């Protein structure tokens, strides 16, 4: 009596050729990259969320920007909001120190508001690039992994049918087993792509929310730097639109 052939992933690995093994290695590499980025992005999101909440609470309870600057000098900025505040305050100080000397360099040209605005835009651009790091890899894995798996399935079906044709045995059990084994590659491609797509969509949505909050904080910080009060304070609304209004950010500890 002939022993029935045991089919499965182990048998598929034993019967596949070098191209099939190469496609499996590609899917494995994609999966490793995806889960590495998921872990890194998740840990970074948790840490930045804690740093942001802590900094915004300290910023809201600070008596002045001098105290905020002193706190940032004592503790290195570790989040997008604290980095933005530190760079904006540093830009205001720099312009204030070189205001009376004249614009010796192109970066120092313009009014104080323009100088700080350029610094803020530069920081927002850097934070946007930092938030979007790794998204290209996730999008590439999510869009190409199913096709890699499909290619592996087509290649496996081709070899299975070719082997059946050479053997001359075309019964259902001889056809269905190898063809069903070839579908493993499609399943693996989907298993790699689905986490990558979900992680990409979650990261994009989180980045959009963080950048929207950062943009709102930028307006509030700019109002504090230019007028010394919040955006909603009508007492300084006329002064907030005065071009070239000098900054009064003293060096911490002065």
């Amino acid at each position: 009596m002939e022993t029935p052939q045991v089919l499965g992933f182990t048998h598929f690995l034993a019967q596949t050729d070098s191209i099939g093994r190469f496609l499996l290695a590609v899917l494995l590499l994609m999966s490793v990259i995806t889960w590495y980025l998921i872990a890194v992005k998740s840990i970074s999101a948790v840490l930045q969320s804690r740093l942001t909440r802590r900094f915004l609470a300290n910023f809201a309870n600070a008596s002045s920007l001098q105290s905020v600057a002193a706190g940032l000098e004592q503790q290195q900025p570790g989040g997008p909001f604290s980095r933005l505040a530190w760079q904006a305050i540093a830009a205001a100080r720099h312009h204030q120190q070189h205001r009376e000397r004249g614009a010796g360099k192109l970066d120092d040209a313009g009014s104080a508001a323009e100088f700080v605005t350029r610094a803020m835009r530069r920081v927002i651009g850097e934070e946007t690039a930092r938030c979007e790091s790794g998204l290209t890899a996730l999008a590439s894995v999510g869009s190409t992994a199913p096709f890699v798996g499909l290619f592996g399935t087509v290649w496996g079906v081709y070899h299975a049918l070719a082997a059946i044709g050479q053997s001359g045995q075309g019964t259902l059990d001889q056809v269905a087993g190898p063809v069903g084994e070839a579908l493993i590659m499609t399943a693996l491609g989907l298993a790699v792509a689905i986490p990558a797509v979900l992680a990409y969509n979650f990261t994009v949505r989180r980045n959009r929310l963080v950048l929207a909050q950062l943009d709102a904080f930028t307006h509030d910080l700019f109002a504090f730097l230019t007028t010394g009060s919040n955006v909603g304070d009508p007492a300084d609304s006329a002064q907030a639109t005065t071009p070239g209004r000098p900054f009064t950010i003293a060096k911490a500890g002065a």
Side-chain angles (χ1 to χ4, degrees), residues 121-196:
R121 287 178 177 174
R122 182 172 61 252
V123 174
I124 291 177
E126 294 173 355
E127 294 300 330
T128 302
R130 185 178 288 106
C131 290
E132 293 179 353
S133 64
L135 290 182
T136 301
L138 289 176
S140 300
V141 171
S143 60
T144 59
F147 295 101
V148 174
L150 181 61
F151 179 72
T153 295
V154 173
W155 189 258
V157 169
Y158 162 73
H159 276 278
L161 295 178
I164 292 171
Q166 291 178 357
S167 65
Q169 298 177 357
T171 59
L172 181 61
D173 57 341
Q174 294 294 328
V175 175
V179 172
E181 272 189 337
L183 293 176
I184 293 176
M185 292 294 293
T186 300
L188 292 177
L190 293 176
V192 173
I194 290 174

Side-chain angles (χ1 to χ4, degrees), residues 35 55 59 66 71 85 90 119 153 185 190 198 206 222-223 228 230 249:
W35 287 105
F55 171 76
F59 185 85
Q66 284 83 355
T153 295
M185 292 294 293
L190 293 176
L198 294 177
R206 179 188 173 276
F222 183 79
N230 202 348
I249 304 299

Side-chain angles (χ1 to χ4, degrees), residues 51-107:
L51 292 173
T52 297
R53 288 197 301 267
R54 186 184 308 168
F55 171 76
L56 292 180
N58 294 334
F59 185 85
N61 297 325
S63 58
S64 63
L65 285 177
Q66 284 83 355
S67 60
V68 174
L72 292 175
E73 284 183 346
Q74 294 176 0
Q75 184 177 4
Q76 189 69 19
F81 292 83
S82 58
R83 283 191 291 265
L84 176 64
W86 173 246
Q87 292 296 330
I89 293 174
R93 289 177 177 174
H94 177 78
H95 192 278
Q96 182 178 352
Q97 292 173 358
H98 297 277
R99 184 176 62 242
E100 297 179 355
R101 302 179 186 177
K105 295 186 299 182
L106 182 61
D107 288 342

